[in-house]
């Protein structure tokens, strides 16, 4: 049985539909990302699970229990807000223990559990400080400890790393994953950052205009997006206008302005206009290949080089791993891509 089940969830604000008939199952102990651009409905859906929004239609189930009408404090869900929402007049320890105090946990017990939660996020030695004396990363750790201290069945994270710099984001990613692995708590994480989702998630649900348009593992969404929107949102991709020469679940052939490309699978009928999608890192520089073009710009990045290659089908982005030279600007390159790296997209 799923830990959380959403059944036909619809949310409206002033006549605008923010979440549109979403049905989603979240397995126990898993880390699911709700991923999408600003305004797609992901935070509204998260807040509906938490109990801060009542849906216009649909049900929220925790296990087999319908919690749609329950207030947030009765949902067994801990939430970490984007802005941390720590009490400035309370110490770190008091902030973390507050949820236990509301639940009438005895003083000694709540202190012990609050210190355990702080220790889990490596903040126990700062228990007596006030939030204003902490860095952004430290405040985020306190907010995470506060969310898990009462041992909720579900942890909800609303873009928790958006206010941190790049180094702190990486550190907090590792911390969140470690805590999830240790506690095995069902976690729903909202972000618009695909790198966070790809590096942390067990599963990702991509949202657009209030709907879940594709769900899968990070690898399946990156390598087998179901649409142009998902393909572009999950990372950089080259899109070549193509026509289907051969189609089928076992393989297909796409005709492009730079030549015919084999792909692993193509559901579009023969003769259909599609886009051949190829990730920049999947294009290989070879002595002879079906794609030829002139390097207009080349940027050396150390472990890789980024080339902009002008071809008959338009400019392609190529990522060359472990480059042997700093620049290939002005060179004519031959390129190829393995058939399992070519994606046939219908929109």
């Amino acid at each position: 049985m799923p830990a959380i089940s959403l059944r036909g969830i619809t949310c409206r604000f002033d006549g605008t539909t923010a979440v549109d008939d979403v049905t989603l199952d979240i397995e126990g102990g898993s880390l699911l990302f709700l991923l999408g651009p600003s305004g797609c409905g992901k935070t509204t859906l998260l807040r509906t699970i938490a109990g801060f929004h009542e849906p216009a239609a649909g049900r929220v189930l925790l296990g087999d229990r319908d919690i749609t009408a329950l207030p947030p404090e009765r949902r067994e869900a801990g939430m970490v807000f984007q802005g941390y929402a720590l009490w400035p007049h309370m110490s770190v320890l008091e902030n973390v223990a507050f949820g236990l105090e509301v639940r009438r946990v005895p003083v000694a017990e709540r202190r012990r559990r609050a210190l355990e939660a702080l220790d889990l996020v490596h903040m126990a030695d700062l228990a007596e400080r006030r939030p204003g004396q902490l860095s952004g990363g430290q405040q985020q750790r306190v907010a995470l400890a506060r969310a898990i201290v009462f041992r909720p069945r579900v942890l909800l994270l609303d873009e928790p790393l958006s206010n941190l710099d790049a180094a702190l984001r990486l550190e907090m990613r590792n911390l969140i994953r470690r805590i999830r692995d240790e506690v095995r708590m069902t976690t729903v994480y909202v972000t618009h950052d695909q790198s966070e989702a790809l590096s942390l998630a067990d599963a990702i649900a991509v949202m657009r205009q209030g709907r879940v348009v594709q769900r899968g593992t990070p690898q399946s969404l990156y390598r087998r997006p179901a649409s142009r929107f998902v393909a572009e949102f999950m990372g950089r991709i080259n899109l070549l206008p193509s026509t289907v020469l051969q189609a089928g679940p076992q393989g297909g052939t796409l005709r492009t302005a730079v030549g015919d490309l084999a792909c692993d699978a193509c559901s579009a009928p023969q003769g259909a206009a599609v886009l051949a999608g190829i990730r920049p890192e999947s294009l290989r520089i070879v002595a002879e290949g079906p794609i030829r073009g002139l390097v207009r710009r080349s940027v050396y990045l150390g472990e890789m080089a980024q080339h902009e290659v002008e071809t008959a089908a338009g400019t392609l982005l190529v990522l060359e791993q472990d480059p042997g030279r700093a620049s290939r600007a002005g060179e004519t390159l031959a390129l190829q891509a393995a058939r399992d790296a070519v994606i046939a997209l219908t929109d």
Side-chain angles (χ1 to χ4, degrees):
M1 177 184 296
I4 306 170
S5 298
L6 307 179
R7 293 289 176 265
I9 295 294
T10 298
C11 300
R12 300 188 182 94
F13 300 97
D14 299 324
T16 299
T17 299
V19 175
D20 189 7
D21 193 26
V22 169
T23 292
L24 192 65
D25 288 329
I26 303 168
E27 299 304 318
S30 67
L31 176 50
L32 173 82
F33 271 66
L34 298 175
L35 178 66
S38 297
C40 71
K42 56 189 184 296
T43 292
T44 298
L45 189 60
L46 188 80
R47 292 176 69 87
T48 300
I49 298 171
F52 295 110
H53 289 313
E54 183 175 351
R59 296 187 302 151
V60 180
L61 304 176
L62 186 63
D64 59 359
R65 180 186 177 207
D66 190 331
I67 62 171
T68 312
L70 291 182
E73 64 271 17
R74 294 181 58 194
R75 292 203 175 199
E76 300 180 80
M79 186 159 179
V80 177
F81 298 91
Q82 185 175 346
Y84 313 145
L86 301 176
W87 297 102
H89 62 285
M90 293 182 178
S91 69
V92 165
L93 184 64
E94 289 168 337
N95 265 280
V96 174
F98 183 75
L100 299 175
E101 182 179 353
V102 170
R103 290 166 175 80
R104 301 185 184 279
V105 174
V107 174
E109 174 70 5
R110 66 176 181 249
R111 178 180 175 82
R112 181 185 65 80
R113 287 170 58 178
L115 286 172
E116 284 181 352
L118 285 169
D119 188 57
L120 194 61
V121 299
H122 306 310
M123 286 291 293
D125 57 336
L126 301 179
E128 300 306 321
R129 290 195 183 182
R130 298 289 176 89
Q133 298 174 293
L134 305 178
S135 68
Q138 290 170 332
Q139 290 184 49
Q140 187 60 275
R141 290 170 182 265
V142 175
L144 184 57
R146 184 182 59 184
I148 64 177
V149 70
F150 65 95
R151 300 166 187 166
R153 291 175 62 180
V154 177
L155 177 62
L156 307 174
L157 305 172
D158 184 12
E159 302 208 42
L161 311 185
S162 61
N163 295 327
L164 305 180
D165 62 33
L168 281 175
R169 282 200 301 272
L170 181 58
E171 181 182 336
M172 284 299 298
R173 283 183 202 173
N174 294 334
L175 177 65
I176 289 169
R177 185 77 209 200
R178 179 179 63 79
I179 290 174
R180 202 304 303 263
D181 289 343
E182 289 183 15
V183 181
R184 299 305 300 176
M185 187 180 298
T186 304
T187 303
V188 184
Y189 189 125
V190 160
T191 188
H192 62 273
D193 186 335
Q194 72 269 20
S195 63
E196 283 181 26
L198 290 170
S199 63
L200 287 174
D202 296 318
I204 300 171
V206 180
M207 295 189 67
R208 183 186 191 189
Q209 297 178 343
R211 290 180 172 269
V212 174
V213 294
Q214 190 174 354
R215 176 184 174 166
T217 64
Q219 184 178 20
S220 68
L221 289 181
Y222 188 79
R223 294 187 60 84
R224 288 291 176 266
S227 67
R228 176 176 183 169
F229 171 79
V230 175
E232 292 183 315
F233 198 81
M234 293 304 297
R236 293 177 295 185
I237 191 166
N238 297 296
L239 298 172
L240 288 69
S242 309
T243 302
V244 179
L245 290 184
Q246 178 185 349
Q250 303 305 316
T253 305
L254 308 179
R255 172 149 293 171
T256 75
V258 293
D260 295 348
L261 301 175
C263 61
D264 253 4
C266 180
S267 59
Q270 185 175 348
V274 298
L275 292 169
I278 309 173
R279 299 287 182 192
E281 67 274 14
S282 295
L283 284 166
R284 300 284 185 261
I285 299 172
V286 293
E288 295 291 336
I291 305 172
R292 296 188 67 82
L294 178 68
V295 179
R296 291 299 187 187
R297 185 168 179 264
S298 188
V299 179
Y300 182 69
L301 300 171
E303 74 276 11
M304 68 178 66
Q306 179 177 289
H307 311 300
E308 294 177 9
V309 182
E310 185 178 319
T311 73
T315 300
L316 302 182
L317 184 64
V318 179
L319 294 182
E320 180 185 6
Q321 303 293 327
D322 191 22
R325 66 194 75 178
S327 175
R328 288 183 179 269
E331 291 185 35
T332 297
L333 298 183
L335 307 170
Q336 70 177 19
R339 64 181 301 147
D340 64 353
V342 179
I343 313 160
L345 300 168
T346 55
D347 65 347

